[in-house]
Amino acid sequence: MALSLDKYLRMSKLPHIWCPGCGHGIITQAIVRAIDELGLDTDKTVVVSGIGCSGRAPGYLHFDTLHTTHGRAIAFATGIKMAKPELNVIVITGDGDGAAIGGNHLIHAARRNLDLTVICFNNYIYGMTSGQYSPLTPQGSYATTSPYGMLENPFDLCNLVIGAGGTFAARSTTFHARQLTNIIKDAISHKGFAFVDALSQCPTYYGRRNKQGTPLAMMNWFRDHSVPVRTWEKLGGEERKDKFPVGVLTQTSAPELTAVYQELIEKLQKRGED
Ligand SMILES: Cc1ncc(C[n+]2csc(CCOP(=O)(O)OP(=O)(O)O)c2C)c(N)n1
Ligand code: SF4
Ligand SMILES: [Mg+2]
């Protein structure tokens, strides 16, 4: 379906500065399509980012947007949502921004079940600063800071969010653009903390250093290593090796922070304690 570009994009900011073949534009498009298909009011939708190539996305989006400091997008988004719960607040973060320097904000927003939609543009690497490893870099992968292969275990960010109390967690990739759009729609519609691990290719740093070939080859790698979540649940340990699940991993219901906070305000006002 054709999108009204003027409605959603700041045309004066184009052309974008992402490298040719970067996956971040595909995820940005999926976000715009999700917003369009849900019919969200653009004046009631705020997009917040930290710093990184991922953090460039809100600059191109024609909403109220905040480009905040590295790792602090969720902190700013928390303030917006607590002050104006009626707004749709979407956070765009990177694997470095959201899992390293901003990891603490992520787990606490999940614990609070605050009604945010957090989309992690996960390219397994610090793209903007030329390819250092992140907490999501797969073990054995090469980065400027892991020239002999990454020694550490990566986080599974969906499982981390679920463990911390988030009530929606899902994963998709730039190969699965239609699925990604649907998942983002579900995440935005979810009442509570919603997290989307959106795998993205960084051909310039991750792909080149790990000899993954063209951007298309990187997307085909996502196709060949992903398993729909229902199939994943039936696989044994050995069958899961080198694979990852895509789809909605969890969606549960629990009290949401702004709603609980509003209830408290009303209760205290009734008692005359405002
Ligand atoms: C406080 C602070 N520390 C470090 C940096 C440098 N820095 C900018 S972007 C970035 C990492 C970006 O990686 P990621 O979040 O994965 O986003 P990507 O560029 O891969 O999309 C870092 C370390 C900064 N801008 N501010
Ligand atoms: S460095 Fe990587 S993440 Fe950044 S714009 Fe280029 S391809 Fe995309
Ligand atoms: Mg990154």
Side-chain angles (χ1 to χ4, degrees), residues 10 12 16 19 26 28 120-121 141 149 155 162 167 177 180 185 188 194-195 219 223 230 232 248 256 260 262 265 272:
R10 295 183 176 129
S12 62
H16 64 73
C19 308
I26 297 175
T28 305
C120 181
F121 288 35
S141 290
F155 278 136
I162 296 166
T167 46
L180 181 60
K185 281 169 74 177
I188 293 172
F195 177 78
M219 291 167 74
R223 177 195 63 198
R230 295 289 161 251
W232 175 262
V248 177
E256 188 277 321
V260 174
Q262 187 55 36
I265 290 170

Side-chain angles (χ1 to χ4, degrees), residues 2-14 32 36 42-43 59-64:
L3 280 170
S4 160
L5 294 182
D6 284 355
K7 185 172 172 192
Y8 297 113
L9 298 182
R10 295 183 176 129
M11 301 304 282
S12 62
K13 298 281 182 195
L14 297 175
V32 167
D36 184 60
T42 51
D43 288 333
Y60 304 127
L61 295 174
H62 197 192
F63 300 88
D64 287 322

Side-chain angles (χ1 to χ4, degrees), residues 16-25 52-54 56 123 125-131 200-206:
H16 64 73
I17 58 164
W18 288 313
C19 308
C22 176
H24 287 1
C53 297
S54 40
R56 292 296 310 151
N123 54 12
I125 207 151
Y126 288 8
M128 178 167 268
T129 46
S130 41
S200 180
Q201 71 276 11
C202 170
T204 303
Y205 292 113
Y206 189 81

Side-chain angles (χ1 to χ4, degrees), residues 39-53:
L40 296 192
D41 183 344
T42 51
D43 288 333
K44 290 199 162 48
T45 303
V46 181
V47 187
V48 188
S49 79
I51 302 289
C53 297

Side-chain angles (χ1 to χ4, degrees), residues 176-199:
H176 304 84
R178 186 64 241 174
Q179 180 199 47
L180 181 60
T181 303
N182 288 335
I183 280 178
I184 294 171
K185 281 169 74 177
D186 290 346
I188 293 172
S189 305
H190 177 75
K191 185 78 182 156
F193 188 81
F195 177 78
V196 180
D197 187 17
L199 301 189

Side-chain angles (χ1 to χ4, degrees), residues 203-242:
T204 303
Y205 292 113
Y206 189 81
R208 191 148 57 187
R209 198 164 272 268
N210 288 283
K211 302 197 175 5
Q212 285 206 329
T214 62
L216 181 60
M218 294 182 78
M219 291 167 74
N220 286 341
W221 189 94
F222 291 149
R223 177 195 63 198
D224 296 340
H225 291 79
S226 57
V227 179
V229 67
R230 295 289 161 251
T231 311
W232 175 262
E233 283 160 2
K234 293 182 202 131
L235 296 183
E238 199 47 37
E239 292 166 309
R240 289 184 175 188
K241 200 167 170 289
D242 298 329

